[in-house]
């Protein structure tokens, strides 16, 4: 519907402006605010098998032997997400979606249901993209609880993973995440797709940074991103990569609430 498209475009433009402004101020999305915190690599998580491990609906992958990489998308759903899901289904690639609540989960509930039904991992990117290190503990809890509740109502499963906006976290965020049963997931590959609509450039940036156990950060709210996905998938498959969700990347380990994961 035209009105929804216009509103979502405005949201994407605002999100893009905030990201660019943060980068210009030296607050880059590449793991900002996390350099002094203990983080856990996927390989370390795999070294500690869990009693139970949830697998995505694309079959079991053992990343101890397979050359795995995780495709993740932030800040959706949007009007671009249905096309993205079509691509992922056609290429049999599972992804992990870190969803925003306000203007996204609440606007596109059927897409959230579809993500879960088609075997993707549905996770949280907070309700309103507030920087968690800059707000009070009760506000942090609200930013995490509201999308969790909305996702659970739609999918029947409460998220166990979240991605803090701009990758910014600290001890307080860790403690509240643990309290709420959430692990934090950062990334190793960013196309900075908030700075360009050039799909070829987005693809090149991802391919230049890709490595085993990598976690790719993209945003399906921008018009240049989804058209880049088929080329990214095809090129990485040719290099021998197997696409997995974040839980599959950690298996037979399991994400532990309060921990921060990054390659």
């Amino acid at each position: 519907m035209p009105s929804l498209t216009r509103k979502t475009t405005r949201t994407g433009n605002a999100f893009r402006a905030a990201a660019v402004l943060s980068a210009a101020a030296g607050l880059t999305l590449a793991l900002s605010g996390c350099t002094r915190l203990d983080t856990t690599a996927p390989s370390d998580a795999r070294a500690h098998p869990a009693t139970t491990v949830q697998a995505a609906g694309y079959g079991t992958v053992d990343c101890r032997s397979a050359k795995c990489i995780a495709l993740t998308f932030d800040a959706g759903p949007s009007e671009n997400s249905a096309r993205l899901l079509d691509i992922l289904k056609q290429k049999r690639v599972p992804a992990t979606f870190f969803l925003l609540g306000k203007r996204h989960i609440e606007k596109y509930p059927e897409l959230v249901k579809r993500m879960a039904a088609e075997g993707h991992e549905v996770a949280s990117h907070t309700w309103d993209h507030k920087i968690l290190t800059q707000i009070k503990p009760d506000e942090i809890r609200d930013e995490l609880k509201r999308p969790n509740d909305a996702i659970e109502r739609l999918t029947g499963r409460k998220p166990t993973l979240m991605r803090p906006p701009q990758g910014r976290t600290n001890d307080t965020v860790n403690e509240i995440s643990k309290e709420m049963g959430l692990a934090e997931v950062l990334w190793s590959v960013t196309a900075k797709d908030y700075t360009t609509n050039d799909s070829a450039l987005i693809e090149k940036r991802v391919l230049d940074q890709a490595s085993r156990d990598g976690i790719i950060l993209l945003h399906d709210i921008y018009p240049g991103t989804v058209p880049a996905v088929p080329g990214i998938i095809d090129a990485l498959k040719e290099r021998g990569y197997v696409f997995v969700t974040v839980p599959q990347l950690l298996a037979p380990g399991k994400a532990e609430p309060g921990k921060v994961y990054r390659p």
Side-chain angles (χ1 to χ4, degrees):
M1 299 186 330
S3 59
L4 293 183
T5 300
R6 286 196 297 271
K7 286 181 71 178
T8 304
T9 300
R10 286 197 296 271
T11 301
N13 288 341
F15 191 95
R16 184 193 304 276
V20 173
L21 181 61
S22 294
L27 309 178
T28 68
L29 294 181
L31 312 181
S32 303
C34 299
T35 53
R36 292 185 298 276
L37 291 174
D38 291 332
T39 61
T40 302
S43 58
D44 292 333
R46 292 196 295 266
H48 300 87
T51 304
T52 59
V53 176
Q54 179 176 352
Y58 287 77
T60 301
V61 178
D62 189 342
C63 294
R64 292 171 295 186
S65 55
K67 185 179 174 182
C68 292
I69 197 163
L71 193 55
T72 74
F73 295 90
D74 281 12
S78 75
E79 72 272 15
N80 304 316
S81 300
R83 174 58 184 148
L84 174 59
L85 289 170
D86 290 343
I87 292 168
L88 297 174
K89 185 175 183 179
Q90 177 188 8
K91 294 186 176 293
R92 294 193 58 79
V93 165
T96 302
F97 288 91
F98 293 93
L99 304 182
L100 277 176
K102 189 175 182 181
R103 299 181 296 275
H104 295 273
I105 293 172
E106 64 181 2
K107 184 183 293 186
Y108 300 102
E110 294 306 314
L111 287 175
V112 179
K113 292 178 183 178
R114 181 180 170 189
M115 289 169 181
E118 294 185 358
H120 304 291
E121 185 72 15
V122 181
S124 168
H125 195 41
T126 73
W127 185 256
D128 200 21
H129 207 261
K130 293 178 180 177
I131 306 305
L132 299 180
T133 56
Q134 298 177 359
I135 59 178
K136 297 178 180 178
D138 284 347
E139 293 178 281
I140 297 172
R141 290 185 179 89
D142 187 61
E143 278 290 295
L144 298 179
K145 183 177 185 302
R146 292 179 72 186
N148 278 8
D149 290 349
I151 290 169
E152 185 175 24
R153 282 195 302 271
L154 293 168
T155 69
R157 180 174 175 268
K158 183 173 290 187
T160 59
L161 306 176
M162 79 90 165
R163 177 168 283 159
Q166 296 184 5
R168 292 175 171 277
T169 188
N170 58 22
D171 289 341
T172 301
V173 176
N174 299 160
E175 290 168 7
I176 293 173
S177 296
K178 183 176 182 179
E179 168 192 317
M180 301 184 72
L182 291 166
E184 298 173 61
V185 179
L186 303 181
W187 58 89
S188 59
V189 178
T190 173
K192 296 185 179 179
D193 53 354
Y194 51 87
T195 65
T196 181
N197 289 330
D198 185 337
S199 299
L201 178 58
I202 291 168
E203 178 180 340
K204 182 180 185 302
R205 286 173 173 174
V206 170
L207 298 180
D208 285 349
Q209 298 172 62
S211 61
R212 185 173 182 173
D213 286 348
I215 298 177
I216 300 168
L217 167 63
L218 292 169
H219 300 81
D220 50 327
I221 60 174
Y222 300 131
T225 300
V226 172
V229 171
I232 291 169
I233 291 172
D234 292 345
L236 290 178
K237 282 185 174 181
E238 287 179 5
R239 296 182 188 180
Y241 285 97
V242 178
F243 287 91
V244 294
T245 63
V246 170
Q248 284 179 316
L249 189 65
L250 306 182
K254 188 176 182 179
E256 296 181 30
K259 284 194 172 184
V260 180
Y261 293 86
R262 74 177 182 194

